[in-house]
Amino acid sequence: MLWSRFGTPFTSIFNPGSIQNLGKIVEELRSAKPLLITDEGIEKAGIADKVLSQLEGIPVFSAIEPNPRHSTVDRAGELAREQNSDLIILAARPS
């Protein structure tokens, strides 16, 4: 299957079925310490659980609000540094 990729200093992968293939994608990217960043709505919709079923035990930052404040982004970055995350998985609604 082909994946749509948009690259700058980061890579975005988005396609129907991306969540179901997340384990393979993370493996392909050679990530050992992914971090999930999400929001309350995505959690309530069960989407975060679908991600976590593919990657059990990964840390989660779920305090993202619409139009996140810089302090929220700083807290997420702090968690990523504390966990030595080598991959950020973002599952959030656009602001």
Side-chain angles (χ1 to χ4, degrees):
M1 176 180 239
L2 295 176
W3 301 102
S4 298
R5 293 180 188 246
F6 175 77
T8 54
F10 60 90
T11 299
S12 294
I13 299 173
F14 50 93
N15 275 79
S18 294
I19 291 176
Q20 291 79 6
N21 293 296
L22 194 55
K24 283 193 252 180
I25 293 168
V26 169
E27 186 177 309
E28 177 186 310
L29 295 172
R30 298 186 178 127
S31 172
K33 295 184 177 184
L35 167 66
L36 173 61
I37 298 180
T38 190
D39 63 44
E40 187 178 289
I42 295 295
E43 284 188 315
K44 285 181 182 177
I47 297 169
D49 287 338
K50 290 179 182 180
V51 170
L52 294 172
S53 74
Q54 296 284 313
L55 303 165
E56 293 181 25
I58 68 169
V60 178
F61 183 85
S62 60
I64 299 294
E65 70 274 359
N67 299 314
R69 295 180 199 93
H70 67 84
S71 58
T72 303
V73 175
D74 289 346
R75 287 195 330 267
E78 187 176 308
L79 178 61
R81 286 186 294 280
E82 287 171 5
Q83 298 292 323
N84 291 318
S85 298
D86 58 2
L87 176 68
I88 303 296
I89 299 168
L90 177 64
R93 298 170 288 173
S95 294

